[in-house]
Every structure is written in C-alpha cells, then in structure tokens.
Amino acid sequence: MPKPDIHPTWYPDAKVICNGEVVMTTGSTQPEIHVDVWSGNHPFFTGTQKILDTEGRVDRFMKKYGMGKKKAGDKAKAEAKTDA
C-alpha cells in the first residue's frame, strides 16, 4: 500500500491530445498530455518515411573502406593474380 500524501494524483484515463483531437487514453499523473507526434501521424509508422542520402555519405563510406561494387574487369584481374 502506498504511503499517504507523498504520491502524485494518478489519472487512469488521461487523454493524449495531438493537433487538438484526442488520439488515445492512458494512465498518467497529468489529466491531459499534449503531443506533437504520435504513432498515428509519424512517418515511420505510417509508411511514408523516405531515406535520403543527399550528400552521398553512404557512397563515400563504401568507397573509403573498399566495400563498393566490383567491376567485371576487377574480377578478371583478381582471378589472373591467383592463377599466376
């Protein structure tokens, strides 16, 4: 049993509000929770997320550490070295 007068008030049906409308209810120490983003409008959960590589960081990493795609000519050179 919790000690009296030391715990905050618990609201079992606290409203979560996003853009002026109630999106869900949950338990909280506040009667209303105002949020900007929730799973119903976040791009990751709605499937509208786009991965952007505008500066070519992935390509630079692959080039720097030699993980780039091997060309057909490179493969032939590697085979010639192992045969010799």
Side-chain angles (χ1 to χ4, degrees), residues 5-17:
D5 301 326
I6 64 166
H7 295 282
T9 305
W10 181 254
Y11 299 95
D13 292 324
K15 298 175 185 173
V16 179
I17 300 171

Side-chain angles (χ1 to χ4, degrees), residues 8-67:
T9 305
W10 181 254
Y11 299 95
D13 292 324
K15 298 175 185 173
V16 179
I17 300 171
C18 182
N19 295 330
E21 72 180 68
V22 176
V23 293
M24 63 186 276
T25 59
T26 187
S28 177
T29 57
Q30 299 177 351
E32 291 184 349
I33 303 168
H34 294 272
V35 295
D36 294 327
V37 178
W38 68 292
S39 61
N41 67 357
H42 191 278
F44 179 79
F45 295 106
T46 58
T48 58
Q49 180 180 19
K50 296 179 183 177
I51 298 173
L52 299 176
D53 184 25
T54 56
E55 297 179 17
R57 292 180 179 162
V58 173
D59 293 332
R60 279 192 310 207
F61 176 84
M62 298 294 261
K63 186 176 179 183
K64 181 177 180 179
Y65 293 104
M67 295 179 189

Side-chain angles (χ1 to χ4, degrees), residues 71-83:
K71 297 177 186 172
D74 293 341
K75 186 176 181 182
K77 288 179 187 177
E79 288 177 5
K81 287 181 182 179
T82 57
D83 292 337

